[in-house]
Amino acid sequence: MYKDFFHFNEMPFSLTPNTDFFCALAPHNEALKVILTALSMSEGFIKVTGEVGTGKTLLCRKLINHLSDRFVACYLPNPYLSPDELRIAFAKELGIKTDKTKERVNLHNNIEEKLLSLKAGGRQAILIIDEAQALSWDSLEILRLFSNLETEKSKLLQIVLFGQPELNDNLDNQRVRQIRQRITFSYSLRKMTRAEIDYYIGHRLVTAGGDEGLIPRYLRPFVAFTSSGTPRLVNIVCHKLLLSVYGEGKKAATSKHLVSAILDTEDCRRRVLPQKRLFFLSLALVAALGTWQMTLGGL
């Protein structure tokens, strides 16, 4: 692989969410601020939605790492759970020893006692659920029951839901209107702009210990266009781009490497093909200009 060839400490465009590569761009920074503000106010439900590949899981992990000791974070990355499984998973995150043969009411009471104990010690429990659009109706009802746990002055549990836009559709259903009314803070993650993608690519290259010039800036607007601003697609294209550069033993990407990476990435190829003549002509002109500028810079 190209890690050693380019002298990286880590792979810069891995799809595994790594908080070391968290890039404090406006969408994620704003979302993090909204969540932390809501948590500081001890509000019940908080919702963050975003299209596939916009960095919700990375934001989840960044949030957990960012929380102070005052909070006890319970993270459920897999919401494909029955109501009983959801209770058990939450109890385990709270450090409660569970027995699958216990009656449901006992487990619920144990959870309430644990939450009361945490509150008495000045700590606040937070249940963070990723991919929340996959929660069943029954599991959503369990979350509503959890949100009922409170003292006379504050909630015993705050719930943060991360999900795709389908989560909004699910919450529009009348059968979960009680949950919908309890969501006091919401944030919708937007995709990155061209300027943000330029910065994002450079940030990841440098954070990995490499040279920002590996992917010249004149190529980055084309990565932005073909990825539609989706971080995951940016990572995929840039990874394939560096693979192609490495395969030829080069020290920097060219338009040829970019075309290869784009055409090998399904969603990016679909975006290019309807206007491929204009796209490839623009790329050729910009690449020629970029090469000319780099040549002048070396004189």
Side-chain angles (χ1 to χ4, degrees):
M1 194 57 74
Y2 57 73
K3 178 181 173 183
D4 293 333
F5 182 78
F6 293 125
H7 308 294
F8 289 130
N9 301 318
E10 298 182 75
M11 297 295 283
F13 298 105
S14 170
L15 295 184
T16 302
N18 183 345
T19 55
D20 289 341
F21 286 95
F22 184 80
C23 190
L25 298 175
H28 295 89
N29 240 8
E30 290 169 5
L32 192 59
K33 287 179 181 177
V34 166
I35 298 169
L36 292 173
T37 298
L39 292 177
S40 69
M41 298 172 66
S42 296
E43 298 291 349
F45 278 90
I46 304 158
K47 173 172 64 74
V48 177
T49 55
E51 268 296 346
V52 174
T54 49
K56 296 183 295 297
T57 299
L58 178 61
L59 186 59
C60 270
R61 296 185 181 179
K62 183 65 176 178
L63 170 64
I64 292 169
N65 292 345
H66 200 84
L67 292 172
S68 69
D69 292 339
R70 186 171 76 84
F71 296 100
V72 177
C74 303
Y75 178 47
L76 299 184
N78 174 23
Y80 290 93
L81 303 170
S82 68
D84 286 344
E85 289 170 337
L86 181 59
R87 283 193 186 93
I88 291 170
F90 180 35
K92 286 182 177 178
E93 285 290 302
L94 286 171
I96 300 171
K97 292 184 179 180
T98 60
D99 181 347
K100 291 184 179 180
T101 62
K102 281 185 177 181
E103 295 180 6
R104 295 183 213 172
V105 65
N106 289 341
L107 185 55
H108 193 87
N109 289 341
N110 289 342
I111 290 172
E112 183 173 11
E113 289 172 7
K114 179 66 175 182
L115 295 177
L116 283 168
S117 174
L118 289 172
K119 181 67 76 173
R123 305 188 75 192
Q124 176 68 46
I126 304 170
L127 178 56
I128 301 170
I129 301 180
D130 201 2
E131 301 294 347
Q133 76 281 349
L135 286 164
S136 67
W137 300 119
D138 290 338
S139 293
L140 284 169
E141 175 61 16
I142 291 298
L143 292 183
R144 185 187 70 80
L145 294 177
F146 283 154
S147 72
N148 285 340
L149 301 176
E150 57 191 0
T151 66
E152 290 183 357
K153 295 184 177 180
S154 63
K155 294 285 185 182
L156 293 178
L157 176 68
Q158 292 174 269
I159 300 172
V160 185
L161 302 175
F162 286 87
Q164 296 170 19
E166 290 82 355
L167 174 60
N168 292 326
D169 298 333
N170 294 345
L171 293 173
D172 280 342
N173 194 294
Q174 277 294 96
R175 65 197 298 179
V176 292
R177 62 189 181 279
Q178 291 187 9
I179 289 181
R180 184 173 67 246
Q181 291 174 3
R182 296 182 191 191
I183 297 173
T184 51
F185 282 83
S186 297
Y187 190 86
S188 178
L189 278 174
R190 64 169 173 79
K191 296 181 180 181
M192 295 188 292
T193 65
R194 180 191 297 183
E196 287 168 344
I197 289 176
D198 187 330
Y199 178 79
Y200 176 87
I201 291 172
H203 169 80
R204 292 189 77 99
L205 288 169
V206 172
T207 302
D211 181 358
E212 185 176 349
L214 276 171
I215 301 178
R217 299 191 69 171
Y218 69 84
L219 293 179
R220 297 179 194 178
F222 296 95
V223 177
F225 171 75
T226 56
S227 67
S228 300
T230 303
R232 181 180 296 160
L233 288 177
V234 173
N235 284 7
I236 291 172
V237 169
C238 288
H239 170 62
K240 291 179 178 179
L241 181 59
L242 292 180
L243 272 176
S244 184
V245 175
Y246 165 69
E248 293 188 358
K250 303 293 186 181
K251 294 299 181 181
T254 66
S255 57
K256 173 185 149 187
H257 301 126
L258 179 61
V259 168
S260 174
I262 290 171
L263 294 181
D264 192 51
T265 305
E266 180 69 22
D267 283 2
C268 295
R269 184 172 68 248
R270 288 185 179 186
R271 183 159 170 79
V272 168
L273 289 181
Q275 42 194 319
K276 61 182 180 181
R277 288 186 179 179
L278 178 59
F279 176 83
F280 290 125
L281 177 60
S282 300
L283 179 57
L285 290 172
V286 171
L289 179 59
T291 302
W292 179 66
Q293 289 175 334
M294 287 191 296
T295 301
L296 286 180
L299 294 177

